[in-house]
Amino acid sequence: MQTAAVDINCDMGEGYGQWRLGDIDDADLMKLISSANIATGFHAGDPNLMDATVRLATQYGVGVGAHPGFRDLQGFGRRRINGTSEELVNDIVYQIGALREFARRYGATLQHVKPHGALYMEFAASEEMSRNFVRTMRTVAPNAFIYCMGMSETYRAATEAGHPVIREFYADRDYDRSGSIVFTRRTGRLDPRLVAEKVVHACRTGKVRTVEGDEIDIAFESICFHSDTPGSLEIATAMRAALDAAGVKVRPVAELTHHLKPAARG
């Protein structure tokens, strides 16, 4: 079945002090997305950058999301940090609280929470960690969507708990036969036209080609791309044009709830 409307999310505010990741201005990308995953200080981000990015998102009507990661500024949150499930969830609570206060400052609410990098993949594989994360979210942010892969322990834990959850389709990452993304620390320059074709194909058919050469079913409500992917602005521009041409509307998840099954709505 063709997808009639999708959310587009992108990682934002990924810098620290005078350092910025990549050479793309968040404002250029903000015009092309509907949800922003804003770094919350542990893998990137600082108070001034969080403030500026939240303010920018509210100006463009983009949904504000917290993007908590491992406590790993040097490794950009892409290295696994050992810790108990409780320790990792407490780190997330700390980061959510920081971002939520900046959102409150500009009259916005916390639309979603999306773990970053290696933490995202850790939760995807761990039933215990995902259940603890979701259980905590039910208390500290019961109305905030959790963004995750459909084929993940995070999605299973959220749907079982009745927590609002959004499944993602990764435009700028490869998939394997299990339906999981192929995690990589470095991404080469992609052809924006091919990425756009991949996205439209997924929206039209609900399928994606894997690195093994198969086509598998993929269900999603949001399309993700990364601001640090080389050529991200060209990728986002090509995706938006292709989705418009295919008749697929881009809307924030708050406007897409009528497209979601009851378990995803909470």
Side-chain angles (χ1 to χ4, degrees):
M1 184 188 304
Q2 178 165 330
T3 300
V6 291
D7 170 60
I8 295 181
N9 76 83
C10 182
D11 303 346
M12 295 283 180
E14 293 190 318
Y16 192 84
Q18 297 301 309
W19 174 78
R20 295 291 183 274
L21 180 66
D23 56 1
I24 299 299
D25 191 325
D26 280 350
D28 292 332
L29 292 175
M30 203 73 78
K31 303 170 185 176
L32 298 166
I33 67 174
S34 49
S35 295
N37 317 314
I38 301 174
T40 47
F42 276 25
H43 77 279
D46 60 43
N48 291 322
L49 189 51
M50 282 192 278
D51 178 82
T53 310
V54 169
R55 183 172 67 248
L56 191 63
T58 59
Q59 288 172 354
Y60 282 95
V62 170
V64 172
H67 198 36
F70 278 127
R71 196 188 299 259
D72 181 27
L73 278 176
Q74 183 172 341
F76 192 62
R78 290 175 174 165
R79 303 178 298 183
R80 185 183 185 279
I81 303 298
N82 289 327
T84 67
S85 173
E86 190 66 23
E87 288 172 333
L88 296 179
V89 168
N90 285 342
D91 278 355
I92 289 177
V93 172
Y94 182 92
Q95 293 174 82
I96 288 173
L99 197 280
R100 183 160 49 194
E101 289 308 300
F102 284 109
R104 193 195 308 271
R105 183 178 191 179
Y106 293 102
T109 58
L110 184 71
Q111 175 188 267
H112 67 278
V113 175
K114 175 182 172 178
H116 165 81
L119 183 60
Y120 181 97
M121 300 302 289
E122 183 88 358
F123 282 171
S126 172
E127 178 181 357
E128 177 198 354
M129 289 184 175
S130 288
R131 289 187 182 280
N132 194 10
F133 171 46
V134 171
R135 185 164 54 247
T136 303
M137 285 286 291
R138 298 299 294 152
T139 300
V140 303
N143 297 316
F145 290 95
I146 293 172
Y147 278 42
C148 60
M149 292 180 290
M151 295 295 292
S152 68
E153 292 296 337
T154 314
Y155 181 69
R156 280 187 277 275
T159 53
E160 288 175 7
H163 192 90
V165 61
I166 294 295
R167 296 168 295 184
E168 299 184 282
F169 177 76
Y170 279 82
D172 55 356
R173 295 290 186 268
D174 289 326
Y175 281 82
D176 64 24
R177 193 172 287 154
S178 74
S180 178
I181 57 172
V182 179
F183 184 64
T184 180
R185 286 187 171 87
R186 296 185 181 274
T187 302
R189 186 168 289 272
L190 305 174
D191 185 330
R193 179 182 59 83
L194 294 179
V195 174
E197 289 177 356
K198 169 186 170 182
V199 167
V200 170
H201 179 71
C203 289
R204 284 178 169 166
T205 67
K207 294 183 180 296
V208 65
R209 184 167 294 279
T210 70
V211 292
E212 295 92 355
D214 305 324
E215 278 216 337
I216 60 170
D217 293 333
I218 191 81
F220 58 94
E221 293 82 36
S222 184
I223 296 165
C224 173
F225 74 101
H226 299 81
S227 61
D228 63 319
T229 296
S232 59
L233 181 57
E234 290 79 9
I235 288 171
T237 302
M239 282 197 306
R240 284 300 302 258
L243 289 169
D244 288 345
V248 179
K249 300 182 184 300
V250 176
R251 296 285 186 269
V253 291
E255 298 178 21
L256 293 179
T257 53
H258 63 284
H259 291 291
L260 308 183
K261 62 184 182 180
R265 286 199 299 267

